Amino acid sequence: MKKSTTAVIAVSTFGLGLGAGAVGMLATGGTDSVATSSSSNATGDWKKIDQVRQMISQNYLEDVTDQELLEGALTGMTEVLDDPYSVYMDESETASFNTNLSSSFEGIGATLEQKGESIVIVSPIKGSPAEKAGIKPGDVILEIDGKSTKGQKTDQAVKKIRGEKGTKVVLTIQRGGQDPMKITIVRDTIPIETVYSKTEKIDGKTIGVLQVTQFSDPTAKEFEKQLAALEEKNIDGLVIDVRGNPGGLLTAVSQMIAPFIPKDTPIFQVEDNKGERTQEFGKAEEKKPYKLVVLEDSGSASASEILAAGLKEGAGAEVVGTKSFGKGIVQSAYDLKDGSDLKLTTNKWLTPDGNWIHKKGVKPTVEVKQPDYFNVTKILTDNKTLASGGYGKPVENAHLVLEAIGFDPKGQDGYFGDTMKQAVERLQKDAKLEVTGKIDQVTASEMETRLLKKLEDEKNDVQRIKALEVAAQ
């Protein structure tokens, strides 16, 4: 059994976004020997598997192949570990995973995580169909094309969500205390471009911004290239934005942050099941001549957290935003002879100071939350119309949106009163819609379109604005 040379630490996407079938994989290459039990009962115990296989083959009412039974047994071995990050992938899933790390792929562009019995969105990828459709971090997927996800594992949900470019999938999601809503997403090709850069002028200072959307094969080289271009402009500060970044190749993030961290300081540490630790150190001869800031949120996971924690503790960077996702365990990827793959939790990863952020996240040094309207995607969660006298979460969402797009409804947030009706009428008149004072599907769509434009305007991104201000200090 060979340990894969692919080093990955990421949140599960299985072709939805990054293409990883297990969460947080780390491998160092070489061949691992697999220890076998010396117990005299081991052989007899394992013979029971073959006995069950034969009984099913001979007596089960429906048709089932030996290959299907084998795949089920292998999957069951990882499921009994009660660890959503340890997973067996068959040949096709493994091939998809390997391809997605090095090229573009087709899907909706979102990362998934299993929390208890729920399938949860960690983050949509920048510019992906999922992001454009309004998927948000923390959304719980209740149904896929009308079928419940109850009792499903992440990989099972992924198989149903991914598909060919141009096809549609309907997700029923629940966001916080809101009513369930259906979101239709058209699958598309997800590009591999992962680094975006620009400069901003803040208080007479030049601030470079590097946004990293995931860590794949070309990310480290592209990051290095764009960083060099920014440094040639004599930047006074640098903001590295990893919001919504689910992770990716461990080698990529390691190469990217090593030049910021001194040679005698760890980038991160890895601890095995015996408590033994190994460290990877920085490569910086001297400190960068500019202020360094990391911008993160709850969708920043795994490799993104290595970047945030490594730069925070190893290079003295400020971290702006909200607490990150919180994944501090590592999986080793074992390639099996038939092309299938086993991802197994084998290690913890620790910050330069030896802190374990698992289920805790990386805390920002400067906490900044986005306005509440950033969490609103759909106003109407069903075909019902909102009108005077209505109340509840949909009305509260509509109130937030109206206020955000410049039609202040005043009054009580969760109640559809006279002032809210008047605000809706002003919106309808401005949009040349039928003036009814009610929020139907047409009016809701107009509100959502205007909200999306507001969200896309960087002038309204308070986290980004604060990060730039901190970098200019």
Side-chain angles (χ1 to χ4, degrees):
M1 186 180 296
K2 184 180 179 182
K3 186 189 283 188
S4 169
T5 56
T6 304
V8 183
I9 182 162
V11 170
S12 179
T13 57
F14 239 132
L16 300 182
L18 179 63
V23 183
M25 284 152 275
L26 169 68
T28 56
T31 301
D32 283 355
S33 59
V34 182
T36 56
S37 173
S38 60
S39 168
S40 60
N41 292 327
T43 301
D45 290 342
W46 284 103
K47 280 185 175 180
K48 186 186 295 184
I49 294 177
D50 191 52
Q51 288 178 330
V52 173
R53 178 192 65 81
Q54 292 183 47
M55 291 176 184
I56 293 174
S57 297
Q58 294 171 9
N59 302 302
Y60 183 56
L61 180 63
E62 305 292 341
D63 291 335
V64 60
T65 66
D66 279 356
Q67 185 61 34
E68 289 172 331
L69 293 175
L70 175 61
E71 296 290 334
L74 293 170
T75 300
M77 287 186 193
T78 56
E79 289 183 350
V80 77
L81 300 176
D82 195 25
D83 172 19
Y85 306 121
S86 293
V87 57
Y88 165 77
M89 296 197 307
D90 63 27
E91 187 175 356
S92 63
E93 292 165 345
T94 301
S96 175
F97 161 69
N98 291 331
T99 299
N100 292 340
L101 288 174
S102 57
S103 65
S104 62
F105 52 89
E106 296 179 355
I108 68 168
T111 55
L112 300 185
E113 167 70 354
Q114 188 166 356
K115 289 188 175 181
E117 295 186 356
S118 298
I119 304 296
V120 181
I121 297 289
V122 174
S123 180
I125 292 174
K126 177 180 173 63
S128 68
E131 183 188 56
K132 293 175 182 177
I135 293 293
K136 298 288 185 182
D139 287 346
V140 178
I141 302 176
L142 301 178
E143 296 179 347
I144 302 168
D145 287 332
K147 296 183 179 180
S148 174
T149 61
K150 187 175 181 180
Q152 290 186 14
K153 298 294 184 181
T154 304
D155 58 338
Q156 295 173 315
V158 166
K159 287 178 181 178
K160 296 178 180 178
I161 295 174
R162 66 181 177 181
E164 295 182 0
K165 176 181 178 179
T167 59
K168 296 180 180 180
V169 61
V170 179
L171 302 184
T172 303
I173 68 165
Q174 185 160 33
R175 180 173 302 151
Q178 300 181 29
D179 293 333
M181 66 183 84
K182 294 183 184 297
I183 297 182
T184 300
I185 307 174
V186 180
R187 302 177 179 98
D188 201 352
T189 300
I190 311 300
I192 62 171
E193 186 177 3
T194 58
V195 183
Y196 305 82
S197 64
K198 65 187 303 183
T199 57
E200 299 278 6
K201 284 289 186 180
I202 306 294
D203 298 329
K205 295 183 177 180
T206 302
I207 308 300
V209 180
L210 281 170
Q211 183 181 21
V212 185
T213 60
Q214 65 186 58
F215 299 90
S216 56
D217 273 344
T219 304
K221 289 183 179 180
E222 191 60 29
F223 181 89
E224 181 181 356
K225 177 182 176 181
Q226 296 191 41
L227 174 62
L230 291 175
E231 290 180 337
E232 286 180 0
K233 298 178 181 179
N234 296 315
I235 56 175
D236 301 293
L238 176 67
V239 174
I240 303 177
D241 186 351
V242 291
R243 290 177 298 174
N245 184 325
L249 292 171
L250 181 61
T251 51
V253 68
S254 179
Q255 291 172 31
M256 290 161 61
I257 65 176
F260 293 92
I261 299 175
K263 285 186 173 182
D264 59 349
T265 302
I267 298 174
F268 60 87
Q269 305 180 57
V270 175
E271 182 178 304
D272 64 18
N273 59 3
K274 297 180 178 63
E276 297 179 357
R277 295 187 185 182
T278 57
Q279 300 175 325
E280 184 158 344
F281 291 88
K283 297 180 180 179
E285 297 284 355
E286 57 185 4
K287 188 176 181 180
K288 293 287 187 180
Y290 47 77
K291 186 72 173 286
L292 184 59
V293 177
V294 177
L295 185 52
E296 67 167 22
D297 63 9
S298 61
S300 305
S302 297
S304 292
E305 294 174 292
I306 287 182
L307 182 144
L311 295 180
K312 177 183 179 182
E313 296 181 3
E318 297 281 2
V319 178
V320 176
T322 55
K323 186 174 64 174
S324 65
F325 180 78
K327 182 180 182 305
I329 54 178
V330 176
Q331 282 69 46
S332 292
Y334 298 90
D335 295 334
L336 305 177
K337 290 181 179 180
D338 64 352
S340 57
D341 205 85
L342 174 66
K343 306 294 187 293
L344 191 65
T345 298
T346 55
N347 302 85
K348 299 177 181 179
W349 74 261
L350 310 171
T351 70
D353 292 342
N355 296 314
W356 194 33
I357 60 91
H358 193 57
K359 296 184 179 180
K360 300 176 183 177
V362 178
K363 293 182 179 180
T365 56
V366 182
E367 184 174 12
V368 182
K369 296 180 180 180
Q370 297 284 39
D372 289 342
Y373 62 77
F374 270 72
N375 296 319
V376 179
T377 299
K378 293 188 71 66
I379 297 167
L380 299 180
T381 57
D382 49 35
N383 293 322
K384 295 179 181 178
T385 296
L386 302 181
S388 294
Y391 60 91
K393 194 66 179 180
V395 173
E396 184 179 336
N397 287 338
H399 191 286
L400 281 171
V401 174
L402 286 168
E403 187 174 36
I405 61 179
F407 298 87
D408 189 359
K410 305 185 186 304
Q412 187 177 341
D413 287 353
Y415 177 71
F416 201 129
D418 290 339
T419 57
M420 186 168 180
K421 178 182 178 181
Q422 293 166 10
V424 173
E425 290 173 344
R426 292 196 301 273
L427 167 70
Q428 291 171 331
K429 184 177 181 180
D430 184 73
K432 296 181 173 54
L433 302 176
E434 182 183 0
V435 180
T436 64
K438 299 178 181 180
I439 302 177
D440 56 10
Q441 290 290 344
V442 175
T443 300
S445 178
E446 177 67 23
M447 292 169 64
E448 291 162 3
T449 298
R450 295 191 181 203
L451 176 64
L452 181 59
K453 290 181 179 178
K454 187 176 181 70
L455 296 179
E456 291 175 342
D457 189 343
E458 292 178 344
K459 295 179 181 178
N460 301 313
D461 188 344
V462 297
Q463 290 179 333
R464 186 177 187 275
I465 291 171
K466 186 62 177 181
L468 291 170
E469 291 175 352
V470 173
Q473 292 175 354

